[in-house]
Amino acid sequence: MAETFSKEYIADCLRLKDRAAIEQLFTDAYKVKLAHVGNAVYFRGIIELSNRCRKDCLYCGIRRSNAKPRRYSMSREEILTAAKWALSRGFGSIVLQSGERNDEGFVSFIEGVIRDIREMSGGRLGMTLSLGEQNEETYARWFRAGGHRYLLRIETSSRDLYCKIHPADHSYAERVNCLRVLKKLGYQLGTGVMIGLPFQTYDDLAADVEFFREIDVDMIGMGPFIAHADTPLGAATVATSDLTGRSATVAPSDLTIPVAAERLDLALKMIAVTRLYLRDINIAATTALQALSPIGRELGLKAGANIIMPILTETKYRGDYKLYDNKPCLDDSAEVCQACLERRIKSVGHVIGYGQWGDSPHALRQRSSR
Ligand code: 5AD
C-alpha cells in the first residue's frame, strides 16, 4: 500500500471530483481511523486567552495591524476557572491558545498558568500549547512547567506560498526550526496547514502531507482558509468555482479561492489522505470546517478526524478572537458547546473519550521507545 502513496497519488486524491470516489476516500479513511486510533473522539477544550499579537499574518483577523478587535488578555483567575470547568466536565485535555508574544512578562505569566493548572488538576488535565514561535529556552520552560503538546501550524510547507501570505519579516526557516526544537524537547508535536489558499496548488497540498510525515507529527489541526474582510489577503480574494477540474492550482487564478462547498470538500479530502497516509496520529475536525457547513465538524469525523476542540473562552471575549469571518459558536457558552458537540459526535457513531488525555498511539509508541 505504501508505494501507492506517492506525492502524485496524494495529489490525485485531492483532485477527485466524482462524488462516489470522494465518498469512498472518506469511507476508507474512516475505517483506517477505527483500526488505528479507535472509536473514541477526544475533547480538547480551547481557551483563547489573549488576542494581542506581534505578528501581522496577511490572512489573520487578529494580526497586529487590524485595529478593529478590542484587544484583551484573560487574567490568571479567568483561565483557571475555564480549566476547572473543563476538568469538572470530564475533559481530558485543554489547549491554551493566544496571539504571539515573546516578552518576558508573557512568557512567565504563561509558565505560572501552566504550573497552576497542573497543580489544580493533579496532572489529570492534558495541556496543549498553541502560543506561536518562541525561542528554545521559552519552549523548555513551558515544558518543565507541564505543557506536553504543542500546536504550531506550518500554514503551508511551500516556502514560496509561505512568503506570499506573510509579511517579509516572517521566516519560513524559523518556523520549521521551531517545530524541530519542539520535537527535540519532547513535546508531542502538532502542526497543520490552511487549505484552499490563494496561489495554492494540489502539489503544494500533497507536499504538506509528506511534510507532516517528515517532521514526524503526533497530531494535526488543519482547516479551510476562510477570508477575513479586515485582512489584506481576505479582502483581496474572491471565491469561484474551479471549472478546470484537474488544473494544477486549487482555484483558477491567483487571487481566487474555491467556493465554500469545494473548499470544504478539499479540506475533508486532506483529512482523509492524511489519515490514510499517517494512520495512528490524532487529527482534529477544526472549527473552521463548521464556518463552511453547519455539519462541517461531523463531516470531518466521517473523513477520518478523531479530535474536537470545543471553545471554552467566555462568551464576552469570543467576538474579539475572530481569526476568520463566520466563526461559529460566537454567542454560545462552554456549556452549550459541550452539549451540542456531544450530540454531533454521537450522531456519527462515536463515543467521547472523557477523563483521558487521549494521546495518539503514535505518540505513545514513541514515548515507550525512548
Ligand atoms: N482562515 C482559516 N484559518 C486561519 N487561521 C488564521 N487565520 C485564518 C483564516 N483566515 C488559522 C491559522 C493559525 C490558526 C491558529 O488559525 O492556521 O495557525
Side-chain angles (χ1 to χ4, degrees):
M1 179 122 180
E3 71 272 19
T4 62
F5 269 92
S6 62
K7 199 170 140 195
E8 292 68 33
Y9 177 79
I10 297 173
D12 280 345
C13 290
L14 299 174
R15 280 195 191 94
L16 287 175
K17 292 283 177 216
D18 175 65
R19 198 68 237 165
I22 294 173
E23 293 302 329
Q24 188 60 50
L25 182 72
F26 296 163
T27 306
D28 291 348
Y30 187 88
K31 283 190 196 143
V32 166
K33 168 174 74 165
L34 292 187
H36 288 267
V37 298
N39 188 36
V41 168
Y42 298 98
F43 276 155
R44 315 284 186 234
I46 179 162
I47 304 173
E48 297 149 332
L49 58 93
S50 171
N51 64 356
R52 298 208 159 86
C53 192
R54 71 177 191 89
K55 286 281 184 72
D56 219 9
C57 305
L58 301 178
Y59 46 84
C60 183
I62 64 167
R63 64 197 302 267
R64 78 164 179 255
S65 298
N66 187 5
K68 287 207 182 151
R70 207 164 23 102
R71 298 290 167 171
Y72 73 86
S73 296
M74 286 170 64
S75 67
R76 180 184 284 233
E77 289 68 36
E78 286 175 313
I79 300 169
L80 270 176
T81 301
K84 274 185 196 148
W85 185 89
L87 188 65
S88 74
R89 291 297 186 112
F91 285 32
S93 277
I94 54 168
V95 182
L96 301 178
Q97 187 177 84
S98 83
E100 189 173 302
R101 277 175 56 188
N102 314 111
D103 53 287
E104 175 55 29
F106 179 76
V107 171
S108 58
F109 173 79
I110 295 293
E111 189 178 25
V113 164
I114 297 170
R115 207 162 265 141
D116 286 352
I117 294 174
R118 186 169 66 174
E119 271 165 31
M120 176 276 291
S121 73
R124 277 181 299 150
L125 259 190
M127 261 183 282
T128 304
L129 310 181
S130 178
L131 304 164
E133 292 174 26
Q134 304 290 341
N135 63 29
E136 180 162 349
E137 193 201 330
T138 298
Y139 284 147
R141 277 168 70 181
W142 291 347
F143 189 76
R144 281 194 299 272
H148 55 100
R149 304 186 181 120
Y150 207 102
L151 198 53
L152 180 71
R153 289 189 181 177
I154 187 70
E155 313 297 359
T156 170
S157 66
S158 153
R159 187 188 291 266
D160 262 12
L161 182 54
Y162 190 92
C163 290
K164 288 196 172 99
I165 63 171
H166 294 101
D169 65 342
H170 291 38
S171 156
Y172 176 81
E174 187 45 44
R175 198 143 186 109
V176 174
N177 189 48
C178 283
L179 292 172
R180 299 206 191 287
V181 168
L182 286 162
K183 189 87 196 175
K184 184 185 80 179
L185 288 173
Y187 281 97
Q188 288 176 40
L189 186 63
T191 192
V193 294
M194 285 180 290
I195 299 151
L197 285 163
F199 314 105
Q200 199 168 40
T201 67
Y202 291 106
D203 284 344
D204 289 338
L205 289 168
D208 291 341
V209 178
E210 291 194 320
F211 176 85
F212 299 157
R213 166 162 281 181
E214 245 168 66
I215 58 158
D216 195 17
V217 289
D218 302 296
M219 20 187 237
I220 291 289
M222 61 185 166
F225 165 67
I226 298 168
H228 188 303
D230 301 322
T231 62
L233 203 64
T237 51
V238 181
T240 46
S241 194
D242 175 8
L243 301 172
T244 50
R246 294 183 65 83
S247 67
T249 48
V250 165
S253 66
D254 281 358
L255 277 169
T256 57
I257 54 173
V259 288
E262 287 177 15
R263 225 172 329 131
L264 176 65
D265 253 351
L266 191 55
L268 296 171
K269 287 181 218 163
M270 275 293 279
I271 290 177
V273 289
T274 303
R275 172 61 70 201
L276 290 169
Y277 193 54
L278 295 176
R279 292 161 181 252
D280 60 356
I281 60 168
N282 281 339
I283 303 178
T286 54
T287 315
L289 292 170
Q290 205 174 314
L292 297 183
S293 156
I295 54 162
R297 284 188 278 187
E298 290 92 313
L299 296 175
L301 296 178
K302 284 172 102 173
N306 69 321
I307 299 288
I308 293 267
M309 297 162 77
I311 303 174
L312 301 188
T313 313
E314 268 190 78
T315 316
K316 69 173 178 185
Y317 293 129
R318 292 190 184 196
D320 291 313
Y321 201 85
K322 278 201 298 185
L323 310 183
Y324 48 83
D325 285 337
N326 299 322
K327 188 173 169 198
C329 321
L330 287 186
D331 299 324
D332 295 340
S333 65
E335 284 84 357
V336 169
C337 283
Q338 182 182 18
C340 161
L341 286 169
E342 246 181 39
R343 195 166 20 82
R344 288 167 183 274
I345 291 166
K346 288 180 183 154
S347 80
V348 287
H350 283 294
V351 298
I352 299 164
Y354 278 124
Q356 305 162 49
W357 276 19
D359 291 323
S360 68
H362 187 81
L364 291 174
R365 221 185 331 278
Q366 287 202 329
R367 194 180 309 157
S368 62
S369 66
R370 263 168 191 231

